[in-house]
Amino acid sequence: MSNREVVALSVGGVRFVTRASTLQQFPESRLARMLSDGDQEFKLLNGEFFVDRDGTLFSYIMDFLRTLQVSLPTDFSDYQRLQREAEFYELYPLADLLSQEHLLKPRLEILEVLFSLQETQAFFWIFGSCSTTVETLAEQVTVFTGQESGERWKSPFTSQKLIPLPLERPSHHDMVFRCGTDYSAGDHFVARYVSIKPDNRKLINGTNVLGLLLDTLLKDGFRLISTRMVSSEGKIECYSFERMKRPPALTITVNQTLGNSGVAQAKRGQVQKGK
């Protein structure tokens, strides 16, 4: 039976088909012993192994055996039940990961956008509770600038050479930029355009940039929870967003051996954050 390459299991009436090598990731587990008829809990019926356990939770166990990671849906809540299932199958590395429930639960992420429209310019200040999100957003936003005389303003400005500018980053959690026009010495003025990936347009109108920015955040899974006027005199608007962010997957390290089993049983406690 241990030479079978493909194995079918019925767990609580839910059918799974996998490779024998997947079930043998941890040779001392009950799933590995099942293949050598070493566990009476598993009954062989019509060519399939049957076990009277929760089939829905077993899908997460199969995902762990295939990837050696624990990455659960944001709405998952059965941590203790899944831990009991892992202990039943004697997959102790998985049980140890699940015992660190606080590392697996999704986290609430907050992001705020301050927008101010002043004459010919618009100012943006973005603050996020997660520095990684702000860093990713900063990589999407590019400000382009160019200088022109007032006499040539009637010609399409975007046909002129534009130079990208670095964003202002007061801290890891916020970013600042602006768009529009600003007169400099004489009759010359500076114009700033904003581009937000994956959109390729260069926008100079602040209201248009705000609309594209809010749409980008909504597509990235954020939910607009409030809109308020921070200062009526300064015309500063605040848009508050939130989303549930899934934590990085937790990974177990499996020691490779030269023995017949191919993979040694991972020791309990060999836990690290996945990249």
Side-chain angles (χ1 to χ4, degrees):
M1 198 68 67
S2 58
N3 294 326
R4 181 182 298 187
E5 182 179 357
V6 178
V7 180
L9 301 92
S10 177
V11 182
V14 182
R15 191 171 186 266
F16 297 88
V17 179
T18 186
R19 292 180 177 272
S21 57
T22 300
L23 300 175
Q24 293 169 331
Q25 283 277 26
F26 302 93
E28 301 303 320
S29 71
R30 300 183 76 172
L31 290 171
R33 297 201 306 270
M34 171 191 73
L35 298 180
S36 58
D37 296 327
D39 197 315
Q40 297 301 315
E41 186 73 31
F42 300 86
K43 306 296 183 181
L44 187 59
L45 302 174
N46 299 322
E48 296 184 3
F49 289 99
F50 174 79
V51 58
D52 191 16
R53 303 295 295 190
D54 191 305
T56 301
L57 294 178
F58 189 73
S59 63
Y60 300 114
I61 290 176
M62 285 302 307
D63 183 63
F64 170 75
L65 291 175
R66 289 166 176 149
T67 66
L68 298 181
Q69 291 185 341
V70 181
S71 182
L72 302 171
T74 54
D75 59 348
F76 186 82
S77 59
D78 290 335
Y79 294 94
Q80 292 183 351
R81 290 183 59 213
L82 183 55
Q83 184 179 351
R84 286 199 302 268
E85 292 301 296
E87 291 173 348
F88 169 81
Y89 294 107
E90 298 182 7
L91 291 168
Y92 296 118
L94 174 58
D96 282 346
L97 292 180
L98 292 168
S99 68
Q100 303 181 63
E101 185 177 329
H102 64 286
L103 297 178
L104 293 168
K105 283 187 174 180
R107 295 169 176 81
L108 180 64
E109 184 178 352
I110 303 297
L111 189 141
E112 287 190 340
V113 176
L114 292 181
F115 170 70
S116 177
L117 191 59
Q118 300 177 13
E119 296 181 353
T120 59
Q121 294 190 82
F123 297 84
F124 295 83
W125 177 76
I126 301 174
F127 171 82
S129 60
C130 178
S131 61
T132 303
T133 297
V134 178
E135 185 68 33
T136 301
L137 186 59
E139 294 175 355
Q140 293 179 255
V141 177
T142 305
V143 178
F144 297 90
T145 185
Q147 191 177 60
E148 191 57 272
S149 65
E151 297 177 355
R152 296 181 57 183
W153 172 245
K154 293 182 180 180
S155 64
F157 191 83
T158 52
S159 65
Q160 308 301 319
K161 182 178 180 180
L162 300 178
I163 302 173
L165 289 176
L167 298 178
E168 296 181 45
R169 297 294 307 278
S171 75
H172 293 295
H173 289 272
D174 57 356
M175 54 188 284
V176 179
F177 62 91
R178 56 180 165 145
C179 65
T181 59
D182 179 28
Y183 278 92
S184 58
D187 64 344
H188 287 73
F189 58 86
V190 174
R192 289 180 174 84
Y193 290 80
V194 173
S195 176
I196 304 177
K197 298 176 181 178
D199 195 296
N200 294 320
R201 293 174 295 171
K202 296 180 177 64
L203 304 176
I204 194 171
N205 182 280
T207 302
N208 293 340
V209 174
L210 176 65
L212 179 58
L213 176 61
L214 300 186
D215 185 59
T216 300
L217 294 174
L218 292 173
K219 289 180 178 178
D220 197 32
F222 280 98
R223 182 173 66 93
L224 181 63
I225 57 176
S226 70
T227 302
R228 67 185 188 276
M229 186 70 70
V230 177
S231 171
S232 58
E233 295 181 359
K235 297 181 180 179
I236 302 176
E237 302 172 1
C238 179
Y239 298 83
S240 298
F241 293 83
E242 69 175 19
R243 72 174 175 181
M244 296 301 293
K245 185 178 182 182
R246 179 183 297 180
L250 293 181
T251 305
I252 191 71
T253 301
V254 179
N255 295 325
Q256 300 292 332
T257 68
L258 298 178
N260 295 330
S261 62
V263 181
Q265 182 183 15
K267 295 181 180 179
R268 301 183 69 174
Q270 285 184 299
V271 179
Q272 62 184 18
K273 282 189 176 181
K275 295 182 179 180

